Amino acid sequence: MKLGLVIEGGGMKCAYTAGILDRMLDDGIHPDYVIGVSAGASCGASFVAGQRDRNRRFFVDYVNDADYMGWTAFRHSGGNFFNLKYIYQDLTGKGGRDPLGYEAIMKNPCEFWAVATDAETAQPYYFTKKDFCPTDYSVFMATCAIPVACRPVKIDGRYYYDGGCSNPIPVRKALEAGCDRVIVLLCRPKDTVRTPEKHRSMYHAVLARYPKLVHSLDVRHLRYNASLNAARRLEEKGHALIIAPEQELEITTYTKDPEILQGLYDTAIREYEDIREKLLHFC
């Protein structure tokens, strides 16, 4: 039996994800396979490393650092609203203020995957923990590079954007890896129906050199809804368990109020108790 954990992205909404993952660590839940998208991938890495509270610190304690996100970060990073280098190198890397537990991840037999999107082909690319090292976490920069808000990240001669552009809820990838039970962790309610992207004229202009990516963004809502429907069908058959907020979160991808984000984390801690017994039985 192989237990998988699929973690959706969502920018600062993943403060909810952080709370759920911390409680899973408390309960000793150890999947055999973890795959995350965007901020969900970075949260998944801390989870695999066993670093309880680390994700919360990134959403609450550091969010108002001048170089974290916003216009100061944009200027200092050369065009990234989220300063991915600051978050995933300066804070996360070896010698940083809050380094990722690299050795713990490598010793953990759990498979770890991070989804990014190839800018030119618009196809998903799946990085593993073998693709990063204590001094280079470009993988997380790539999976979190939101189009327009961030510049693409170059790795081995290819440019990558946020994994949510191509595979927002990679349940099928987990099944293909041999998982027969999958925990699906969302930061939106499980009955969410995504609508077409806003600001089409903006991203059409900014991303004109990547026409396949532009098309992928145009139809992203369809891909998301199909993936979520597939997860719900798996849950009905007993092969998946979806963990999601009970109500729509009153924040955006770019919220940077520590009090609101701490509240979101606390909400996840409370809501976890409602599904705890079901989750333990499922695992």
Side-chain angles (χ1 to χ4, degrees), residues 156-167:
D156 294 334
R158 303 292 298 182
Y159 287 92
Y160 297 95
Y161 276 111
D162 192 299
C165 302
S166 57
N167 195 356

Side-chain angles (χ1 to χ4, degrees), residues 85-261:
K85 180 181 180 298
Y86 180 74
I87 298 169
Y88 296 116
Q89 297 287 20
D90 298 347
L91 292 177
T92 297
K94 184 177 181 179
R97 184 160 30 142
D98 206 333
L100 181 64
Y102 175 82
E103 292 185 0
I105 292 177
M106 292 303 161
K107 290 178 181 178
N108 192 331
C110 174
E111 298 177 47
F112 176 80
W113 298 75
V115 187
T117 300
D118 186 295
E120 185 175 346
T121 67
Q123 293 300 305
Y125 187 86
Y126 303 97
F127 291 100
T128 75
K129 58 187 180 182
K130 295 180 181 179
D131 293 309
F132 55 76
C133 68
T135 56
D136 186 358
Y137 290 115
S138 297
V139 166
F140 299 115
M141 295 170 62
T143 187
C144 293
I146 300 172
V148 179
C150 299
R151 293 181 179 276
V153 175
K154 186 178 182 180
I155 300 177
D156 294 334
R158 303 292 298 182
Y159 287 92
Y160 297 95
Y161 276 111
D162 192 299
C165 302
S166 57
N167 195 356
I169 310 175
V171 172
R172 179 177 294 180
K173 185 68 176 178
L175 298 178
E176 291 173 352
C179 297
D180 40 41
R181 293 166 298 141
V182 181
I183 302 166
V184 182
L185 178 50
L186 307 176
C187 55
R188 298 172 178 84
K190 62 190 296 183
D191 60 354
T192 294
V193 178
R194 290 202 66 167
T195 56
E197 296 294 314
K198 300 177 181 178
H199 311 299
R200 284 197 172 197
S201 59
M202 178 185 294
Y203 71 75
H204 274 242
V206 174
L207 303 172
R209 66 180 298 184
Y210 300 122
K212 291 182 179 179
L213 180 65
V214 169
H215 174 72
S216 185
L217 291 173
D218 285 344
V219 299
R220 176 158 63 172
H221 63 294
L222 302 177
R223 186 182 300 108
Y224 182 92
N225 293 335
S227 297
L228 184 52
N229 287 336
R232 287 194 290 249
R233 289 193 297 270
L234 282 172
E235 186 174 49
E236 291 171 359
K237 295 176 181 178
H239 298 304
L241 177 64
I242 300 175
I243 303 176
E246 295 174 2
Q247 299 180 348
E248 185 66 40
L249 304 179
E250 297 298 324
I251 72 168
T252 72
T253 300
Y254 308 99
T255 295
K256 58 181 301 184
D257 185 320
E259 185 174 348
I260 292 175
L261 293 164

Side-chain angles (χ1 to χ4, degrees), residues 14-150:
C14 284
Y16 181 90
T17 303
I20 297 295
L21 291 178
D22 276 353
R23 290 296 288 116
M24 289 175 63
L25 284 174
D26 293 341
D27 281 331
I29 296 174
H30 301 294
D32 305 295
Y33 176 100
V34 173
I35 184 168
V37 180
S38 194
S42 60
C43 286
S46 295
F47 173 76
V48 173
Q51 292 176 283
R52 194 192 192 286
D53 199 53
R54 181 174 185 272
N55 287 322
R56 186 203 63 80
R57 294 195 296 272
F58 271 77
F59 289 110
V60 177
D61 295 353
Y62 309 141
V63 69
N64 277 333
D65 289 2
D67 280 324
Y68 190 103
M69 65 183 290
W71 294 114
T72 298
F74 184 89
R75 292 193 301 272
H76 290 178
S77 65
N80 292 286
F81 189 78
F82 285 98
N83 188 340
L84 301 177
K85 180 181 180 298
Y86 180 74
I87 298 169
Y88 296 116
Q89 297 287 20
D90 298 347
L91 292 177
T92 297
K94 184 177 181 179
R97 184 160 30 142
D98 206 333
L100 181 64
Y102 175 82
E103 292 185 0
I105 292 177
M106 292 303 161
K107 290 178 181 178
N108 192 331
C110 174
E111 298 177 47
F112 176 80
W113 298 75
V115 187
T117 300
D118 186 295
E120 185 175 346
T121 67
Q123 293 300 305
Y125 187 86
Y126 303 97
F127 291 100
T128 75
K129 58 187 180 182
K130 295 180 181 179
D131 293 309
F132 55 76
C133 68
T135 56
D136 186 358
Y137 290 115
S138 297
V139 166
F140 299 115
M141 295 170 62
T143 187
C144 293
I146 300 172
V148 179
C150 299

